Amino acid sequence: MAESSESRPLSGIRVVELSSFVASPLCGLTLAQLGAEVIRVDPVGGAADVHRWPLAPGGTSIYWTGLNRGKSSVTLDLRSDEGRQSFRDLVTAPGEGSGILVTNSAGREWMSHERLAAVRPDVITLELLGRRDGRPGVDYTVNAALGFPAITGQDGGQGGGQGGGQGGGQVVNHTLPAWDVAAGLHAALAVVSAVRERERTGRGRRIVLPLDDVALATAGALGYLTEPQLDGSTRPAVGNYVYGTFGRDFTTADGGRVMVVALTTRHFHDLARVTGTRDAVDALESATGADFGTEADRYSYREVLAALFARWFSAHTTAEVTRALEDSVVLHERYRTFDQVVTEGDLEANPLFAALDQPGIGSYLAAAHPATFDGRHLATGPAPDLGADTDRLTADRPRAPIDSPPIAPPPQGPES
């Protein structure tokens, strides 16, 4: 049974979202799953992401509906004074949990924090920027500038160019918009933190969250940016090996692929046992003076160790490999495609997913919030039709005098 919105952690919080693409809508979706009322505002006809791929057979955007589940939808003519005033009225509406704006359309004077705070001093605004200097940026450009594509893909010994992109070698973009996702979740946390502070102090906040700073902060926390500061080194591309420990993909006799990770000495010894290579591994350790009880040496000798293990994988089918590894402590998974995840029943078996009837798409299994609260996942209803709640949420609102703000600059937020 789904938990009612009134009993959820963010019940009573009301957020207005003027956004598009990934980071900002994901922030709103996360808040909605946790119980906030989230009102998405779009220009008439929809923002640039309203028809973004993938599309259902009837033309409805699976992407748009997925990120906007559980929200209300208002459309306004944001080029007009009246539409802009209606938008400000939504944001600054009275109420203890109201007065919150999330947007990636930063740099617009008519909806600036200062403008809104003049009406409601305790307003909370969160602006998602592409780059901290205000220039546009998207996940894929931020990622390119940060350095991850240069260490993704094969190493120099496997045709990738030493350093995976240094000195003219190849660079490989990952397909997951990781920084958009991280930014959306950071944004949701920042909003909740500001709401908590406002409850204690009555103070509003202007929060600015640049996509490139999210990426830099993450890379810094994981050590990618510390290494070059200490010794000038750049981490190399190592293909599907796991940096700093032993982990790699292996091909089975029937053409399957399995990812194996031995993080601990126990994992590593069990991998040697399963593959029947314990004597060979011990001989290699003795001959080289290595200590395979350490991650460092398991990583340093990764290629010769992988060659030893690979013979066993290539002599067994994927099913045989899976059964053997399931009887061990070795961390492993076979590689699958998204359609295999669906057809093999993972969604039906996981209480994270429940049937959702989405107009324009039909019924499908949709994910709730991944955390459980007292044993329950927090799900939302479907995404609204564009503009479905405009009349309900904008009718009969008290209006402040409408002035004539300057022409807004182009959007400056993340757009991937």
Side-chain angles (χ1 to χ4, degrees):
M1 179 184 298
E3 188 165 336
S4 68
S5 59
E6 292 76 13
S7 62
R8 299 186 186 206
L10 298 185
S11 176
I13 301 300
R14 189 189 211 213
V15 179
V16 176
E17 173 195 312
L18 179 63
S19 66
S20 55
F21 298 102
V22 178
S24 188
L26 179 60
C27 170
L29 172 64
T30 303
L31 297 172
Q33 289 172 327
L34 295 173
E37 176 190 6
V38 179
I39 303 168
R40 170 157 174 158
V41 178
D42 283 287
V44 176
D49 61 343
V50 69
H51 298 303
R52 200 178 193 206
W53 285 16
L55 303 178
T60 300
S61 171
I62 297 172
Y63 166 95
W64 193 94
T65 53
L67 283 169
N68 292 292
R69 287 173 287 138
K71 302 177 186 178
S72 301
S73 174
V74 168
T75 54
L76 297 170
D77 179 4
L78 297 174
R79 294 180 179 272
S80 71
D81 290 343
E82 183 177 0
R84 291 174 176 182
Q85 186 61 48
S86 293
F87 176 80
R88 288 193 292 265
D89 290 342
L90 275 174
V91 177
T92 60
E96 182 180 352
S98 300
I100 304 167
L101 170 64
V102 172
T103 184
N104 67 331
S105 296
R108 301 171 184 262
E109 190 280 335
W110 61 267
M111 53 174 279
S112 67
H113 179 87
E114 293 74 18
R115 188 72 170 273
L116 298 169
V119 178
R120 179 166 178 158
D122 67 346
V123 71
I124 296 169
T125 62
L126 186 142
E127 300 170 298
L128 279 150
L129 304 181
R131 303 177 69 167
R132 62 192 164 281
D133 61 6
R135 288 180 294 159
V138 298
D139 188 286
Y140 309 104
T141 59
V142 166
N143 194 54
L146 181 59
F148 278 97
I151 66 169
T152 303
Q154 302 299 341
D155 63 16
Q158 300 181 53
Q162 184 61 42
Q166 305 303 311
Q170 79 172 28
V171 291
V172 179
N173 292 333
H174 56 70
T175 58
L176 174 72
W179 310 125
D180 277 338
V181 172
L185 299 177
H186 273 294
L189 178 59
V191 168
V192 171
S193 299
V195 169
R196 171 65 179 131
E197 181 188 35
R198 188 172 70 179
E199 291 172 345
R200 290 187 296 106
T201 68
R203 176 185 178 184
R205 281 284 191 177
R206 180 188 179 220
I207 306 167
V208 178
L209 183 63
L211 194 65
D212 58 352
D213 278 352
V214 169
L216 285 165
T218 304
L222 296 177
Y224 291 96
L225 301 179
T226 307
E227 290 174 287
Q229 293 180 73
L230 297 179
D231 59 15
S233 65
T234 294
R235 190 175 300 186
V238 292
N240 285 341
Y241 287 103
V242 178
Y243 181 78
T245 190
F246 185 83
R248 211 199 83 163
D249 63 309
F250 292 94
T251 303
T252 63
D254 54 356
R257 296 183 79 85
V258 179
M259 184 66 192
V260 173
V261 180
L263 284 178
T264 68
T265 302
R266 185 182 178 211
H267 295 157
F268 184 77
H269 286 166
D270 219 17
L271 178 60
R273 176 190 65 79
V274 168
T275 57
T277 58
R278 186 59 190 265
D279 289 345
V281 168
D282 288 346
L284 175 65
E285 188 175 37
S286 177
T288 60
D291 178 4
F292 293 148
T294 67
E295 286 190 290
D297 280 0
R298 294 197 294 269
Y299 177 73
S300 296
Y301 289 89
R302 63 190 180 277
E303 292 182 348
V304 64
L305 288 169
L308 291 175
F309 300 144
R311 295 184 63 184
W312 179 83
F313 284 92
S314 65
H316 293 81
T317 66
T318 304
E320 291 169 339
V321 166
T322 300
R323 284 195 298 270
L325 292 177
E326 284 176 348
D327 288 333
S328 75
V329 297
V330 180
L331 304 171
H332 67 281
E333 279 292 350
R334 63 187 173 91
Y335 283 81
R336 295 191 295 172
T337 59
F338 287 121
D339 63 292
Q340 288 176 311
V341 174
V342 172
T343 59
E344 292 177 9
D346 291 44
L347 277 57
E348 288 89 347
N350 191 335
L352 172 66
F353 290 87
L356 179 73
D357 188 10
Q358 176 63 56
I361 292 179
S363 180
Y364 71 100
L365 295 176
H369 193 283
T372 58
F373 290 76
D374 297 324
R376 293 181 176 178
H377 289 286
L378 305 181
T380 67
D385 291 335
L386 185 68
D389 304 287
T390 303
D391 291 342
R392 176 175 67 86
L393 292 171
T394 62
D396 301 324
R397 287 193 174 279
R399 302 287 177 117
I402 298 174
D403 54 15
S404 299
I407 299 298
Q412 299 296 306
E415 297 180 358
S416 57

